[in-house]
Amino acid sequence: MTRYIRHAAAFCALLLVALLANASRIQVVQAPAYDDNPANRRQDIARYSQPRGDILVDGRPVTGSKDTGEQLRYERTYDNGPLYAPVTGFVSQRYGSSFLEDTEDGTLAGTDPMLSPFPLWNDFTRARSPGGDVVTTLDGAAQRAAYEGLADRKGAVAALEPATGRVLALVSTPSYHPETLSGNAPSVTRSWLELQQDPDKPMLNRAVRQTYPPGSTFKVLTAAAALDAGVIRNVDARTRSPDPYTLPGTRTTLRNTARNCRNASLRVAFEWSCNTVFAKLGVDVGVTGMAATAQAFGFNDAGLRIPFAVSASTFDTTVDRAQLALSSIGQYNTRATPLQMAMVAAAVANGGQLRQPYLVERTTTHRGATVASAGGRPVRQTMYPSTARRLRELMRDVVEHGTGANAAIRGTTVGGKTGTAQHGIGNAGTPYAWFVGWAQPAGDPVPKVAVAVVVEDSNAHRGDISGGGLAAPLARAVMTAALGP
């Protein structure tokens, strides 16, 4: 009898070991597969079981959370949603997340181990810390000035603090209200489909995800390349530039809308945006020199993040001399985001040093204790300091005497460059109006804000579209707001 009891005990022990082994297999080995299974709603229930942390502008939250009392309890809310949508993005129980709501999700959702004083205990209990906050670099006044200035037109604005790389404004229009995507009701699906099918693409962040031909604003880079390479040594010397200019190896001629461009000096050509002068300068510098300058400013960089990804601005390095001439005036395959062109203006304003732009100043716990901060940002020298000084002088001339007069601010030194970029097959599309520039208040040793504006005004008469007419006044409003009272 004792033998049977021993056998039964051994069999029970074997069953217990098998049970423990199977439980371990499910809970340890197969846990990731179960966690990621779309049929498992536990993660979603946990994710929306507590209020989300907030995104802050000027120290005030522009986001919130609403208790619905449902299984997915908390939905995201947004104050001035369309104004800040290009920065916050959206977080949806049905369609995921974008922009800061996506890149800073660990902080906002409370899953970042840095938010907890005992992260290993949280891992063991599967508990979540309260959502932390994300403090942005945005200047609310500049953001609003950009949004209201664009009004009902398509376009984008990016503004930076040259000395630090802080993003002061990032606006894209038309915009949308991200709160319409927050929950999981049928109305959310309708809103999503409407936004996806809207031909004006309100969910497209034109400031960082749309590239445009930069037109004459690219002449800032061409001038920098020519000065750095020694092709131009005296900005007031005649340049031996014909008008019209025949593109090398072709019978195609390039003309100007401005007068007095034949053999114009760099100063005059920059002030009145002479295409012939800058096309020839690009050819004289050569592909290698032009590409090196463009890349120093950030072109052809697919890795830029602020912290969300920025589309790469491009300068074609495989062009022939005729194509190089067009590329050097911001046409052909040259493409840039508004943020990239704000970086160009910022580098000129900062003595040739370019600080990598960033949008998050710091992240904090829900009680306000700093978890992580931006710290020092990488810097690179885009041009000689002497070249930057001469470019600041040329950009001042554009505003004081040339095509950028509408960007002038009383009591402030303003430099800029206008642009009207052709696009479409045979340049048949309505041109894009550009302005890039910077502002330096009286008494300050360095410029405080750099800005890039692009306006797609398809309703305007083609002849009425210009960087000086459409984009420069908007840039002035943004820079004025950023400088404050």
Side-chain angles (χ1 to χ4, degrees):
M1 188 67 168
T2 304
R3 185 165 59 89
Y4 293 119
I5 293 174
R6 286 200 306 268
H7 289 170
F11 183 66
C12 288
L14 181 62
L15 291 177
L16 180 60
V17 170
L19 181 64
L20 291 173
N22 188 56
S24 298
R25 179 180 64 85
I26 292 173
Q27 294 187 23
V28 178
V29 178
Q30 293 185 329
Y34 285 122
D35 284 342
D36 296 337
N37 192 311
N40 182 4
R41 301 198 71 200
R42 288 180 178 273
Q43 288 205 35
D44 285 341
I45 292 171
R47 176 181 176 83
Y48 297 106
S49 66
Q50 66 179 22
R52 196 168 169 82
D54 285 319
I55 298 172
L56 277 59
V57 175
D58 293 336
R60 295 186 296 273
V62 297
T63 59
S65 295
K66 177 177 65 176
D67 188 348
T68 66
E70 299 176 357
Q71 189 177 49
L72 302 181
R73 184 170 175 180
Y74 287 94
E75 291 181 4
R76 195 55 149 169
T77 61
Y78 296 88
D79 294 330
N80 296 309
L83 173 62
Y84 293 110
V87 174
T88 64
F90 66 88
V91 62
S92 171
Q93 295 175 357
R94 182 163 292 183
Y95 296 107
S97 55
S98 66
F99 298 119
L100 286 187
E101 292 279 26
D102 183 60
T103 59
E104 303 302 314
D105 182 68
T107 296
L108 296 167
T111 58
D112 188 338
M114 296 292 290
L115 294 172
S116 172
F118 307 108
L120 292 179
W121 177 252
N122 278 13
D123 287 344
F124 179 74
T125 62
R126 293 187 174 240
R128 287 182 180 233
S129 300
D133 294 336
V134 175
V135 181
T136 71
T137 60
L138 290 182
D139 181 305
Q143 183 82 0
R144 185 171 292 279
Y147 183 75
E148 292 178 351
L150 282 169
D152 58 350
R153 296 173 296 191
K154 290 182 188 177
V157 176
L160 303 173
E161 185 176 68
T164 63
R166 296 171 68 243
V167 177
L168 302 178
L170 200 70
V171 169
S172 175
T173 57
S175 188
Y176 70 103
H177 203 314
E179 194 168 325
T180 62
L181 304 176
S182 292
N184 55 20
S187 61
V188 172
T189 301
R190 289 195 297 271
S191 295
W192 176 263
L193 293 175
E194 288 172 2
L195 289 169
Q196 294 297 308
Q197 295 167 5
D198 190 328
D200 288 335
K201 299 181 179 180
M203 296 185 74
L204 172 63
N205 189 337
R206 290 173 165 83
V208 297
R209 296 284 173 84
Q210 178 70 53
T211 59
Y212 300 87
S216 291
T217 59
F218 191 82
K219 292 170 183 174
V220 176
L221 286 86
T222 304
L227 289 165
D228 270 1
V231 172
I232 295 290
R233 298 185 182 277
N234 182 350
V235 298
D236 293 306
R238 296 171 71 81
T239 57
R240 298 180 182 178
S241 303
D243 184 9
Y245 173 60
T246 302
L247 299 180
T250 75
R251 295 181 180 179
T252 303
T253 57
L254 186 66
R255 300 179 182 273
N256 301 290
T257 56
R259 298 179 180 178
N260 302 319
C261 287
R262 183 188 299 274
N263 299 326
S265 67
L266 182 62
R267 185 186 303 277
V268 171
F270 197 89
E271 187 175 322
W272 295 105
S273 207
C274 296
N275 286 333
T276 52
V277 174
F278 283 93
K280 183 176 183 296
L281 283 178
V283 173
D284 292 344
V285 170
V287 173
T288 301
M290 285 297 301
T293 297
Q295 289 168 5
F297 278 97
F299 281 75
N300 298 337
D301 179 5
L304 178 62
R305 304 184 69 88
I306 63 167
F308 44 78
V310 178
S311 294
S313 299
T314 55
F315 183 84
D316 194 337
T317 60
T318 63
V319 291
D320 61 28
R321 296 175 74 226
Q323 294 162 344
L324 176 60
L326 295 175
S327 298
S328 300
I329 59 172
Q331 298 290 165
Y332 190 58
N333 286 340
T334 304
R335 308 278 298 188
T337 63
L339 179 64
Q340 172 63 72
M341 295 312 296
M343 291 165 61
V344 170
V348 174
N350 199 39
Q353 290 190 330
L354 177 61
R355 293 278 181 181
Q356 184 170 320
Y358 66 100
L359 187 54
V360 175
E361 195 73 72
R362 64 184 182 277
T363 56
T364 72
T365 66
H366 72 292
R367 297 182 182 276
T370 298
V371 174
S373 60
R377 307 300 294 174
V379 61
R380 63 174 176 262
Q381 194 72 35
T382 60
M383 66 190 109
Y384 294 131
S386 58
T387 295
R389 286 195 298 272
R390 284 188 277 188
L391 278 176
R392 283 200 301 272
E393 181 182 339
L394 296 177
M395 292 178 78
R396 286 198 304 269
D397 289 344
V398 169
V399 174
E400 293 174 3
H401 311 295
T403 57
N406 284 333
I409 302 172
R410 186 184 298 274
T412 300
T413 301
V414 178
K417 184 71 188 77
T418 59
T420 305
Q422 308 292 334
H423 72 103
I425 299 174
N427 293 332
T430 304
Y432 301 131
W434 276 94
F435 183 87
V436 301
W438 46 264
Q440 180 177 351
D444 283 347
V446 294
K448 296 298 184 183
V449 58
V451 66
V453 176
V454 63
V455 179
E456 308 175 42
D457 194 347
S458 59
N459 294 321
H461 186 274
R462 186 183 182 92
D464 295 335
I465 296 174
S466 70
L470 289 179
L474 176 50
R476 178 186 62 214
V478 174
M479 291 188 291
T480 301
L483 295 175

